[in-house]
Amino acid sequence: TLPSNNRSRVKLYTLNDERQWDDRGTGFVTCIPPTAPNTSHSLVVKSEIDGSTLLESKIQLTTKYQKQQETLIVWSEGDK
C-alpha cells in the first residue's frame, strides 16, 4: 500500500434498487495489484473513520469506466 500522504481521498456512492444514490462514506482509494496469477488489479476504498473496507472492486477489461464532470468515475458491476 501507499504511504498515507499519497492516498487519494474519495466519496463513495452506490446506486440502490430504487435508482437512488446511497452515500457509503468517505475514505481513501488505492489500486491493489493481483495476488495470484491470472487475476486482476482491484480498486479498494478504506473508510477514513475506522479503516474498514467500503469497496473492493476487481478491474475488468470489459468494464466501461466513465469520467463524468471533472471528479466522478462511474461504472457498473454485475447484472444491474
Side-chain angles (χ1 to χ4, degrees):
T1 51
L2 297 172
S4 60
N5 60 350
N6 287 339
R7 296 181 300 174
S8 295
R9 189 169 181 256
V10 296
K11 186 76 171 168
L12 179 64
Y13 296 91
T14 56
L15 195 61
N16 65 28
D17 291 337
E18 289 80 37
R19 311 280 306 156
Q20 300 293 319
W21 291 105
D22 288 337
D23 182 345
R24 300 294 305 274
T26 302
F28 298 95
V29 64
T30 55
C31 183
I32 307 298
T35 55
N38 300 319
T39 60
S40 302
H41 282 72
S42 296
L43 290 176
V44 176
V45 179
K46 299 278 189 176
S47 171
E48 70 179 353
I49 294 171
D50 62 7
S52 64
T53 300
L54 300 176
L55 172 78
E56 184 168 350
S57 176
K58 296 279 186 205
I59 299 173
Q60 305 294 336
L61 295 176
T62 56
T63 300
K64 293 181 181 175
Y65 295 88
Q66 299 174 12
K67 181 179 178 184
Q68 296 181 357
Q69 301 173 21
E70 288 298 314
T71 59
L72 300 174
I73 299 172
V74 179
W75 70 94
S76 295
E77 293 183 351
D79 57 3
K80 294 190 176 187

